[in-house]
Structures are given as structure tokens and as C-alpha cells.
Amino acid sequence: MAKMGSRKHLKRFKSPEHWPIHPKEFTWTVKPSPGPHSIEGSLPLLVIVRDILQIADNAREARIIINNGEILVDGRIRKDYKFPVGFMDVIQLPKSGKAYRVLPDERGRLMLHPIEEGNTEFKLCRIEDKVTIKGGKTQLNLHDGRNYLTDDEYKTGDVLILNVPDQEIKDTIKFEDGTIGIITGGKHIGEIGTVKEINVTRSSMPNTVLIETDGTTFQTLQEYIFVLGKDKPVISLPGGE
């Protein structure tokens, strides 16, 4: 039995640090299914329903709520209680009218930021890389596992504003000097700042970005910057940014 359970579950003390669960409350927690986000960058839907939203007292109740189609992720009903929910995903609870966007807090833990109804119709996706495929089209590989085919020009680091659930591109936030971004890794994770300078290296070293936030300037890796808007963020943020 223990061997079977180890494939489906994770011991709580071995669960990722960004999971908002206490390691001593229970022995086991659910392991995310393979999906759009890695285990290191996601929360299983059951953990969100039971531990974060606390609309279920136990795993059984959480599974019933999820299986009944009461939870939407990016505009689609998700009935897999192990479905991985990650950064920038939009969660909706139609019965209560509540909605949330997944963001990192200042400790790097994933949190659910409440959003208004008008904010549930789109999500932000960063272009991680792009490749040219047969026929000359460009395939954009996005941070949440999506692949998008286009004839238009985009560059790595740009952020697409996608309508959900149809995934049509509504607009683009270019990764360039002067944009506002959230830091998704490193010791400044969760902070909001302005891109002052993008430093492209001509070696195997990663590109870096100079960020200014609250009068402080520091350097971080380009891969840690997720731009949110040109003059101001296009989404609401914790603390009223």
C-alpha cells in the first residue's frame, strides 16, 4: 500500500517550499498530474480547494467539489483534483462569484490574489522561446506550457495577453526598457519594479536586467522578469500596485 501511495502522493515534508501547507498537519498531500506547469511551479487543484480556499474540510470533500465542475482554471472546468495550477493562472468559482489570479508572494510561495470579474477574461503568458516550423510559421512556447502558432513577430520575454478560454491574442506587452515587471525568482521574488536596462551577454552567461523598485536599483536574471505593462500593470496586484 505504501508503495502504491508514494506514486500518487507526496509526503508533506517533501512537498515544494512554495506550497502553503504545514508539514506536520497530515502525512500525505496530493502529487500534481503532469501538465502545463512543473511540480516545482504549481499547486494541485485539491490543495487549492482544501488548504488555501478552505472550502472543503478534507480531501474527499475537495474531490467532490472539483468533480462536480465547480472550479474553472483559465475559463475551463477542471475535474482532475491533481491538475497543476501555476503562475498567472486564473481560478474561478462560479457558484460564489469569486475569482483569483495565481501570483508569488515575497517569500516565493504561490498565492491566490482576488480579482474582479472583468479580470477573469484574460491571462498573461510569457514567451519562453520560439522556433520556426515547417511552412514558415513561428511556434511560441509559453511559460504555462502552451504552444502558439503565429505569422507575427514576437521576441523571447514578451508577454502575450490571451483571452480565455479561446486563447486568442488580445495584446502584447513588449519586454523592453521602461516596462513594469514582477520578479519571479531569486532573492527579490514577488517584488514589482521598472526595467531600467537589459544587458545582453555575448557568452554562455545569462542575460541580466537592471531593475528599479522603491528607489532601489539591483540586477537580476532576465529569466526572472515577467513584464506586466508599459506604464502600469495591466492586472491588479497585492498591495494595490
Side-chain angles (χ1 to χ4, degrees):
M1 291 292 290
K3 186 176 180 180
M4 180 178 179
S6 65
R7 291 198 300 267
K8 295 181 179 179
H9 300 82
L10 291 175
K11 283 214 170 185
R12 288 205 166 210
F13 64 81
K14 291 184 179 179
S15 59
E17 292 182 359
H18 65 265
W19 289 18
I21 57 178
H22 197 285
K24 295 183 180 180
E25 287 181 0
F26 302 101
T27 304
W28 299 98
T29 189
V30 66
K31 181 178 180 179
S33 298
H37 299 280
S38 67
I39 186 174
E40 294 81 12
S42 65
L43 293 162
L45 202 50
L46 185 144
V47 169
I48 288 174
V49 170
R50 181 190 61 189
D51 299 283
I52 303 179
L53 296 177
Q54 297 182 352
I55 56 177
D57 292 329
N58 51 54
R60 179 179 175 275
E61 290 182 6
R63 286 196 295 267
I64 290 173
I65 290 171
I66 294 165
N67 193 55
N68 285 343
E70 297 180 30
I71 310 295
L72 277 66
V73 180
D74 293 340
R76 297 184 185 276
I77 293 173
R78 296 295 181 182
K79 293 188 177 183
D80 177 9
Y81 69 91
K82 296 183 289 182
F83 183 80
V85 178
F87 178 60
M88 284 296 170
D89 285 353
V90 175
I91 299 172
Q92 292 173 266
L93 285 66
K95 277 192 172 182
S96 66
K98 294 182 178 180
Y100 306 86
R101 195 180 305 276
V102 181
L103 298 172
D105 67 12
E106 69 282 354
R107 295 174 61 184
R109 299 174 302 182
L110 293 178
M111 61 169 288
L112 269 58
H113 173 59
I115 58 177
E116 300 296 330
E117 185 174 344
N119 280 270
T120 62
E121 300 169 356
F122 70 92
K123 74 170 296 186
L124 307 185
C125 291
R126 183 177 61 195
I127 301 172
E128 298 297 299
D129 57 62
K130 58 181 184 175
V131 293
T132 301
I133 62 172
K134 188 176 180 180
K137 280 187 173 289
T138 300
Q139 176 178 294
L140 306 178
N141 300 318
L142 308 183
H143 87 278
D144 65 350
R146 298 172 199 253
N147 300 317
Y148 198 96
L149 294 180
T150 181
D151 293 318
D152 298 326
E153 274 295 318
Y154 297 98
K155 67 179 182 179
T156 300
D158 287 351
V159 167
L160 305 180
I161 303 176
L162 295 182
N163 290 325
V164 292
D166 62 24
Q167 301 190 58
E168 290 298 315
I169 296 178
K170 178 181 178 181
D171 205 347
T172 311
I173 305 169
K174 293 187 178 298
F175 177 59
E176 59 188 10
D177 292 354
T179 50
I180 307 296
I182 186 170
I183 300 171
T184 61
K187 65 179 182 179
H188 293 282
I189 190 167
E191 293 185 27
I192 309 296
T194 302
V195 176
K196 303 302 289 183
E197 185 180 352
I198 301 169
N199 303 306
V200 178
T201 62
R202 300 186 182 278
S203 66
S204 60
M205 297 297 290
N207 296 337
T208 61
V209 178
L210 193 65
I211 295 289
E212 183 178 73
T213 175
D214 293 330
T216 301
T217 302
F218 58 88
Q219 197 170 64
T220 189
L221 298 180
Q222 176 179 320
E223 65 183 275
Y224 290 164
I225 303 300
F226 193 109
V227 292
L228 302 174
K230 180 61 178 176
D231 300 311
K232 64 179 182 179
V234 300
I235 59 172
S236 64
L237 296 168
E241 291 284 348

